[in-house]
Amino acid sequence: MNVTESTGDAMPSDAEFAALTEPLRPELLAHCYRILGSIHDAEDLVQDTYLRAWRAFDRFEGRSSVRRWLYKIATMACLTALERRSRRPLPSGLGAPSDDHRVAVAPGEPTVPWLQPAPDRLLGADDPATIVAGRTGVRLAFIAALQLLPARQRAVLTLRDVLAFQTSEVAEMLDTTSAAVDSALRRARTRLAEAGPVEDELAEPDGETQRTLLDGYVDAFTHADPDALVGLLRADAELEMPPIPTWFTGRQAVVGFLASRVLRSKDQWRLVPTRANSQPAFVAYERTRDGRYEAHGVEVLTLVGDRIARITAFHDPSLVPAFGVAPVLTS
């Protein structure tokens, strides 16, 4: 989509600018999230992108599409922001797991800028027309793998492999050469390959099987029945719980941890279904002494075949508002 010559040198109207740019907001948010690993930071950077674009729109001469122009602004804003910020890992990116649920669990580490989940509702994942790269482009495993790359390699890989921009277009966006883009892309692909496969390419269950798994998961938490989880988890299932660095591998360790430290009493937990990173997820609420249920965090499930392969439980109530649900349930 190109800006027509009718824009001239006059400042655009709000309506004109919005008509050209607002349809691109969800995919720009997904792009910034891939690079930054934080939905909160991504929202801030997209807002900054639109402000910069508005201020410069009268100088935009249509030499590229509006979409590519906005991606250039957003990508450069993200790279500038990352000059002052650390990468955002998951616990699995920092240390080895435990296969024994009886180990001492480390306290939460608030100084680590942890990777955050991204609500599908903000990324336009419910509308296929807004998804450029497909669902795998925001899967949690892929976002976590991207965090292993230097910032510029993240940008190159997402622009080329996820969004399918041409090498020359990426070079223009990053104010560099095509040779430099190709070199960065090779290094990024090699680094991701060395890190091991991500779960994007593994087959998820069909709709009916998925509903059975998710209903069983909710029932296990509602009734404090960890034994019910045994049939839902893969033998090599994993559990991680940022900001807690300790994480577990193996069905026995995962179920053992949940049985001894999480699922202690019936009706302690309520799980509200949602979607994050194009994956099934839940907003978790914990019952307080006065009988209310307060938001505890967000759990993202990775399903492979007919089982749950990974539970990523983000113990951070500040994530909940982005999912459009109440912070407290009264009934």
Side-chain angles (χ1 to χ4, degrees), residues 204-253:
E204 286 193 341
D206 58 35
E208 183 177 353
T209 301
Q210 184 169 144
R211 285 190 296 272
T212 300
L213 281 175
L214 299 181
D215 288 347
Y217 188 82
V218 171
D219 287 344
F221 271 76
T222 302
H223 300 294
D225 184 7
D227 291 339
L229 292 171
V230 174
L232 304 178
L233 300 177
R234 283 169 54 108
D236 59 353
E238 296 175 334
L239 167 68
E240 51 189 333
M241 306 161 288
I244 297 171
T246 306
W247 62 292
F248 297 94
T249 185
R251 181 167 53 209
Q252 183 175 356

Side-chain angles (χ1 to χ4, degrees), residues 44-286:
D44 290 343
L45 264 293
V46 168
Q47 192 63 29
D48 183 60
T49 294
Y50 274 75
L51 179 59
R52 295 186 187 195
W54 164 253
R55 290 173 174 170
F57 197 43
D58 62 323
R59 301 189 300 276
F60 181 73
E61 299 176 354
R63 287 189 293 267
S64 69
S65 69
V66 170
R67 179 172 177 263
R68 194 163 79 226
W69 179 61
L70 286 175
Y71 268 98
K72 174 181 175 67
I73 297 172
T75 303
M76 297 306 289
C78 287
L79 293 178
T80 299
L82 285 173
E83 292 175 358
R84 307 183 299 274
R85 304 178 195 182
S86 303
R87 73 180 182 95
R88 288 182 170 270
L90 288 173
S92 53
L94 294 180
S98 173
D99 59 5
D100 185 351
H101 72 273
R102 296 167 296 183
V103 300
V105 175
E109 183 50 76
T111 61
V112 174
W114 297 102
L115 182 68
Q116 296 178 345
D120 282 14
R121 62 185 289 270
L122 296 183
L123 306 183
D126 293 331
D127 178 6
T130 66
I131 294 299
V132 176
R135 58 199 306 270
T136 60
V138 291
R139 295 275 292 184
L140 199 58
F142 179 67
I143 302 300
L146 280 179
Q147 299 300 302
L148 300 173
L149 303 177
R152 202 165 185 86
Q153 288 183 25
R154 276 183 237 172
V156 168
L157 187 135
T158 55
L159 290 169
R160 283 285 289 113
D161 284 359
V162 179
L163 293 161
F165 282 110
Q166 297 179 5
T167 297
S168 59
E169 293 175 319
V170 176
E172 187 276 330
M173 291 182 199
L174 299 181
D175 295 327
T176 188
T177 64
S178 294
V181 169
D182 286 338
S183 176
L185 183 61
R186 285 194 299 271
R187 294 196 301 272
R189 288 171 174 169
T190 298
R191 180 68 183 92
L192 287 188
E194 292 172 349
V198 297
E199 291 129 350
D200 295 341
E201 298 177 357
L202 302 179
E204 286 193 341
D206 58 35
E208 183 177 353
T209 301
Q210 184 169 144
R211 285 190 296 272
T212 300
L213 281 175
L214 299 181
D215 288 347
Y217 188 82
V218 171
D219 287 344
F221 271 76
T222 302
H223 300 294
D225 184 7
D227 291 339
L229 292 171
V230 174
L232 304 178
L233 300 177
R234 283 169 54 108
D236 59 353
E238 296 175 334
L239 167 68
E240 51 189 333
M241 306 161 288
I244 297 171
T246 306
W247 62 292
F248 297 94
T249 185
R251 181 167 53 209
Q252 183 175 356
V254 172
V255 173
F257 172 82
L258 293 174
S260 61
R261 313 197 197 195
V262 179
L263 303 180
R264 295 175 177 172
S265 62
K266 187 177 179 180
D267 292 326
Q268 179 186 0
W269 297 97
R270 284 194 178 177
L271 303 182
V272 175
T274 186
R275 298 278 302 179
N277 297 82
S278 289
Q279 298 172 232
F282 297 96
V283 175
Y285 293 84
E286 187 172 14

